[in-house]
């Protein structure tokens, strides 16, 4: 089973930036489309951004133009650069592969954006 460890979250003011990381424990990471998800309190988990092995990216409309997903296969690490953060971006952020079944979920990383 692949282990995923998310990091980089924190408390930031509206308009600020954060860079999230997701480290995978196995090299199968390199052949999977990877996804960042987020879950806000009392809401369902939603897709934020995805990236294929060929670095084709897709973004939710709510983050398009503000967030950038990237990956470094040599480090088995997924990134999410988040700029111009808004209070509605407050959530726990998770990474996982796109295909089913998902790997075991990590603990996520909390992002809190103050107004």
């Amino acid at each position: 089973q692949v282990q995923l460890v998310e990091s980089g979250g924190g408390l930031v003011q509206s308009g600020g930036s954060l860079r999230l990381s997701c480290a995978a424990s196995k090299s199968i990471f390199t052949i999977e489309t990877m996804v960042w998800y987020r879950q806000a309190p009392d809401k369902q988990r939603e897709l934020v951004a995805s990236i294929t092995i060929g670095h084709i990216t897709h973004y939710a409309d709510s983050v398009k133009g503000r967030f950038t997903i990237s990956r470094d296969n040599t480090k088995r690490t997924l990134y999410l650069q988040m700029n111009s953060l808004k209070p509605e971006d407050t959530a726990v952020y998770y990474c996982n592969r796109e295909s089913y079944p998902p790997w075991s979920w990590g603990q996520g990383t909390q992002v809190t954006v103050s107004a």
Side-chain angles (χ1 to χ4, degrees), residues 5-39:
V5 179
E6 301 92 347
S7 62
L11 173 63
V12 64
Q13 290 187 332
S14 182
S17 298
L18 285 172
R19 189 192 194 205
L20 306 184
S21 298
C22 165
S25 63
K26 295 187 178 180
S27 60
I28 192 174
F29 166 92
T30 65
I31 62 170
E32 295 279 358
T33 292
M34 293 298 296
V35 181
W36 280 104
Y37 298 91
R38 68 185 180 188
Q39 187 166 18

Side-chain angles (χ1 to χ4, degrees), residues 11-115:
L11 173 63
V12 64
Q13 290 187 332
S14 182
S17 298
L18 285 172
R19 189 192 194 205
L20 306 184
S21 298
C22 165
S25 63
K26 295 187 178 180
S27 60
I28 192 174
F29 166 92
T30 65
I31 62 170
E32 295 279 358
T33 292
M34 293 298 296
V35 181
W36 280 104
Y37 298 91
R38 68 185 180 188
Q39 187 166 18
D42 300 323
K43 291 189 177 181
Q44 288 190 332
R45 189 172 293 168
E46 63 174 351
L47 184 148
V48 175
S50 64
I51 184 167
T52 68
I53 58 175
H55 298 264
I56 296 173
T57 58
H58 168 79
Y59 297 94
D61 287 344
S62 59
V63 307
K64 204 170 292 183
R66 301 187 297 121
F67 290 10
T68 303
I69 188 172
S70 61
R71 66 192 299 165
D72 185 339
N73 285 343
T74 64
K75 297 180 179 179
R76 299 198 302 269
T77 301
L78 181 71
Y79 301 101
L80 186 68
Q81 178 67 43
M82 306 188 297
N83 298 329
S84 303
L85 282 161
K86 304 176 181 180
E88 51 263 45
D89 295 318
T90 295
V92 179
Y93 285 71
Y94 302 88
C95 65
N96 215 311
R97 64 176 179 176
E98 181 184 59
S99 58
Y100 186 86
W103 294 322
S104 295
W105 293 93
Q107 81 288 351
T109 187
Q110 175 71 48
V111 171
T112 302
V113 184
S114 62

